[in-house]
Amino acid sequence: MELIQSPVELRARLVGAASVGFVPTMGFLHDGHARLIERASQENERVVVSVFVNPLQFGAGEDLSRYPRDLARDQEIAEQHGAHLLFHPQASVMYPEGFTSRIELGGPGEGWEGASRPGHFSGVATVVLKLLNLVSPTRAYFGEKDWQQLAVIRRVVRDFNLSVEIVGCPTVREPSGLALSSRNSYFTAEQRERAAILSRALRAAQNAYAKGERLSKRLLDTARMVLMSERELTLDYLALVDENLRPIEVISRPEGARLLIAACLFGVRLIDNMPLSENAHA
Amino acid sequence: MELIQSPVELRARLVGAASVGFVPTMGFLHDGHARLIERASQENERVVVSVFVNPLQFGAGEDLSRYPRDLARDQEIAEQHGAHLLFHPQASVMYPEGFTSRIELGGPGEGWEGASRPGHFSGVATVVLKLLNLVSPTRAYFGEKDWQQLAVIRRVVRDFNLSVEIVGCPTVREPSGLALSSRNSYFTAEQRERAAILSRALRAAQNAYAKGERLSKRLLDTARMVLMSERELTLDYLALVDENLRPIEVISRPEGARLLIAACLFGVRLIDNMPLSENAHA
């Protein structure tokens, strides 16, 4: 596997490839990323992983400077799981002096993370469009862990007429249920166990749904009950939304519905999401 | 030459082309467009002309509804000058229901047309990025008549890492000096003659520069004197700017400098621009 910093070199390396799979990441790779890379290598001739902690998607006071980084380890993991190229550009290359362009989206970027992190999805959409234009992949792979981000990216691809196929891949979890995230590295072992409460809350709502509950409010109350047992947790939002990220009141079409949660725990902001029923998405 | 309305078909027609030249237009083609198409056909294997009156770049109260249209004539002109495909998408295909994405640029999109037509360059940048992603051209051709637009498009290409080469082509003028524009069709023959005053004003500034004047204010005053002879004219802006579209006070590097003008005449908004010296750009 080759480490590449220059966009021009990256393009040169991909000339003539029959198919290119692309896994954009912010690095500090975990098993969730590994699954994306494996899938990309099953479905494409060449696989590019990018590692870029995108300053544009961090707000003032967020964790840009302390976001975990370990390029040597990322190289090993990417190579082990089938990547051919690891693209690691400098911020000054991605955003040269005088860079002022942004993508602004309404629609799926409004509300939830978009409301809690102003400018976040604009930064995500901008860097993803840049990276997709640079790599020109056949397919790009994203984790469902960032559910709203996935909807935003699908929208960018549609609205700006990119020809890439966006592949969403299931969230990978620890045995406790905690969704894998590079930010989990902020936790001590004990805090990490306790952070599984987000997934337990969503599972409780799933169980209520399985038992026949169809009112969104009651499902969410069930999840909220679970969350109350953790006094260190500050809930940001807990919602049941449709495929356009709009709140659902009564469940009529469960297929596109998604439970979303964001909360702060031990000073770390966590998000998670689940379908109403795991089987519906199996 | 083939007329194509569907983005999917357009892509299919371009598979395997060694090089693609692209001329995006709003239709009602004139000799300026013809020169762009000719140049594209000299430099590329396949030539795509698009005709799309982009609603996103018109403000409220602007001339979207009365903008001149004549697709049959456009087809003839495009074919005569070497186009292979004419892409004419419906607005509902370019902007399906729920389309809310926009590109926002600062930099070269600020001031001048950006100030007089809020949202205009955001609309231009958005549609151009869409079209460039759809066509994936080797080279795209734009007239220098829309000088600031050309700067905006170069910025979009740079900031979003497109691999297309942007080719700016000289403004084509009537014998009177009037820059060709589809909007000239709004004029009667007499008004059209009188509209040449914009180019005469810029030429006067060029002459003053040739005679040694190096103060921007004095050059612009010379142009302003010419404009005063037309009482029907309302000046929007008249400026001398550098390559970043910033006003110049004293001319030190004439190469990137450009005289810009926008004015309203007989209810029609006109723009024009010239270098300080034609020879510098010959």
Side-chain angles (χ1 to χ4, degrees), chain A residues 11 98 101 130 155 159 161, chain B residues 11 98 101 130 155 159 161:
Chain A
R11 273 211 183 102
S101 299
K130 283 172 67 69
R155 178 63 73 97
D159 282 0
N161 300 90
Chain B
R11 274 210 183 104
S101 299
K130 282 172 67 69
R155 178 63 73 95
D159 282 0
N161 300 89

Side-chain angles (χ1 to χ4, degrees), chain B residues 23-93:
Chain B
V23 183
T25 82
M26 297 214 299
F28 212 73
L29 303 183
H30 51 61
D31 272 0
H33 298 114
R35 294 295 90 72
L36 301 179
I37 300 168
E38 277 168 13
R39 176 138 182 216
S41 73
Q42 286 157 12
E43 300 178 345
N44 303 275
E45 189 192 287
R46 303 280 283 168
V47 174
V48 181
V49 173
S50 67
V51 169
F52 181 61
V53 182
N54 175 34
L56 228 54
Q57 72 190 70
F58 288 80
E62 290 187 359
D63 59 345
L64 172 61
S65 61
R66 70 164 182 149
Y67 195 86
R69 291 161 169 90
D70 188 342
L71 187 63
R73 195 167 145 273
D74 290 344
Q75 281 182 269
E76 266 177 49
I77 295 172
E79 179 152 29
Q80 266 170 25
H81 293 90
H84 302 102
L85 302 171
L86 192 135
F87 180 52
H88 179 58
Q90 297 292 311
S92 59
V93 168

Side-chain angles (χ1 to χ4, degrees), chain B residues 123-183:
Chain B
V124 167
T126 302
V127 79
V128 167
L129 184 54
K130 282 172 67 69
L131 288 168
L132 291 174
N133 280 332
L134 263 171
V135 177
S136 290
T138 318
R139 299 173 193 88
Y141 298 80
F142 296 87
E144 290 185 348
K145 159 72 168 16
D146 297 287
W147 186 255
Q148 191 178 7
Q149 172 179 283
L150 187 55
V152 161
I153 289 163
R154 288 190 196 281
R155 178 63 73 95
V156 168
V157 166
R158 190 194 81 173
D159 282 0
F160 290 100
N161 300 89
L162 297 165
S163 59
V164 63
E165 179 191 340
I166 299 299
V167 183
C169 300
T171 302
V172 178
R173 296 178 183 280
E174 298 196 352
S176 69
L178 176 64
L180 296 200
S181 163
S182 305
R183 288 190 171 99

Side-chain angles (χ1 to χ4, degrees), chain A residues 11 96-107 126 129-130 133-134 155 158-163, chain B residues 11 96-107 126 129-130 133-134 155 158-163:
Chain A
R11 273 211 183 102
E97 219 187 291
F99 186 100
T100 51
S101 299
R102 292 284 183 286
I103 293 183
E104 296 297 343
L105 309 128
T126 301
L129 184 53
K130 283 172 67 69
N133 280 331
L134 262 172
R155 178 63 73 97
R158 190 194 82 173
D159 282 0
F160 290 100
N161 300 90
L162 297 165
S163 58
Chain B
R11 274 210 183 104
E97 220 187 289
F99 186 100
T100 51
S101 299
R102 293 284 183 286
I103 293 182
E104 297 297 343
L105 307 128
T126 302
L129 184 54
K130 282 172 67 69
N133 280 332
L134 263 171
R155 178 63 73 95
R158 190 194 81 173
D159 282 0
F160 290 100
N161 300 89
L162 297 165
S163 59

